[in-house]
Amino acid sequence: MSNLQINTTQNVPLDYKIVGVGERIIAFLIDGFVLYLYAVLVQFIGKGIGYVFEDNWTQIGLVSLIFLPAMFYSLVMHSLFNGRTIGKMLLKMRVVRLDGTPVHWSNLLVRWMLRLVDIWLFFGSVGLLTILFSDKKQRLGDAAAGTVVISTKNHTKVSHTILEEIEETYVPQFANVIVLSDKDVRLIKETLYIAKKSGDHKTLNILRNKVESILNTNSDLYDIPYIDTVLKDYNYFTQKL
């Protein structure tokens, strides 16, 4: 896999692992199998419809209507699951923008429309070749939409651990930190680590505001003490569960 390097406002590089063609093909085949199972289900439903409606055109119309969601499978799944289909979930990969931020529906629409050229019209050859010869492993739809497919597999690092040292006498301040997930806390801690290391006060403030909006708090603490407190509070409550 290749690396997608993104710079923070203080020019600190963050690396994302870009998924290669092999894993993307496997994810595509998994999604294809899901659609195959759906088609089998529709076929059974169609037989049932045949017992209810004798008119062939009515049968064809209803079966076509039931099968219609399959035509939009990729677009709907990527939209609902933050850049992932079932295949991508199983292989732990995701579609993101080139700057690493979540995709917008307009990006996904462009990708989906260009599947016609990338995959269907030329039996996948266009998509395969563009992925192979693109520096960022982008198919034509990715290049047009400004997206890449990255790996979300966890790579164990000291900075990735969510554990914090909690004293026995520690008193938490934000009880609603339990709305966060382990993944949220890991991301918060890693962002805090990078921003502190580079003196990136803008990123610290953005991170603090984002966390406050999620937790619905209005703390007088400065950015770093506030985020540190959130991390400790999360550990305090989750370690006691």
Side-chain angles (χ1 to χ4, degrees), residues 167-208:
E167 299 176 358
E168 293 184 4
T169 57
Y170 181 77
V171 178
Q173 297 187 38
F174 310 116
N176 56 337
V177 292
I178 57 175
V179 303
L180 299 172
S181 66
D182 285 355
K183 185 176 180 180
D184 294 330
V185 174
R186 185 178 294 110
L187 179 60
I188 291 169
K189 185 170 183 179
E190 184 171 0
T191 305
L192 173 64
Y193 171 80
I194 294 172
K196 285 171 63 176
K197 185 177 180 180
S198 61
D200 190 347
H201 300 291
K202 182 177 179 181
T203 298
L204 282 171
N205 187 249
I206 292 173
L207 176 64
R208 184 253 175 77

Side-chain angles (χ1 to χ4, degrees), residues 106-228:
S106 58
N107 304 118
L108 296 174
L109 181 61
V110 172
R111 292 183 84 253
W112 177 75
M113 292 174 65
L114 285 173
R115 285 169 66 89
L116 183 64
V117 177
D118 275 328
I119 300 171
W120 305 121
L121 285 181
F122 302 99
F123 305 100
S125 60
V126 173
L128 180 63
L129 290 173
T130 51
I131 291 172
L132 286 173
F133 293 103
S134 167
D135 291 337
K136 295 182 175 63
K137 307 299 180 186
Q138 295 170 294
R139 65 175 177 85
L140 190 62
D142 286 314
T147 58
V148 289
V149 180
I150 64 170
S151 172
T152 58
K153 294 176 183 176
N154 291 330
H155 302 280
T156 305
K157 296 180 182 178
V158 174
S159 61
H160 285 188
T161 179
I162 64 173
L163 297 178
E164 294 281 336
E165 292 291 337
I166 304 295
E167 299 176 358
E168 293 184 4
T169 57
Y170 181 77
V171 178
Q173 297 187 38
F174 310 116
N176 56 337
V177 292
I178 57 175
V179 303
L180 299 172
S181 66
D182 285 355
K183 185 176 180 180
D184 294 330
V185 174
R186 185 178 294 110
L187 179 60
I188 291 169
K189 185 170 183 179
E190 184 171 0
T191 305
L192 173 64
Y193 171 80
I194 294 172
K196 285 171 63 176
K197 185 177 180 180
S198 61
D200 190 347
H201 300 291
K202 182 177 179 181
T203 298
L204 282 171
N205 187 249
I206 292 173
L207 176 64
R208 184 253 175 77
N209 291 337
K210 180 64 175 179
V211 174
E212 278 217 293
S213 68
I214 295 173
L215 300 183
N216 196 26
T217 57
N218 187 20
S219 175
D220 293 329
L221 293 172
Y222 290 110
D223 295 341
I224 294 178
Y226 172 79
I227 299 170
D228 281 334

Side-chain angles (χ1 to χ4, degrees), residues 1 18-27 127-129 131-132 137:
M1 292 185 292
I18 299 178
V19 178
V21 65
E23 288 182 280
R24 292 185 67 165
I25 289 176
I26 295 173
L128 180 63
L129 290 173
I131 291 172
L132 286 173
K137 307 299 180 186

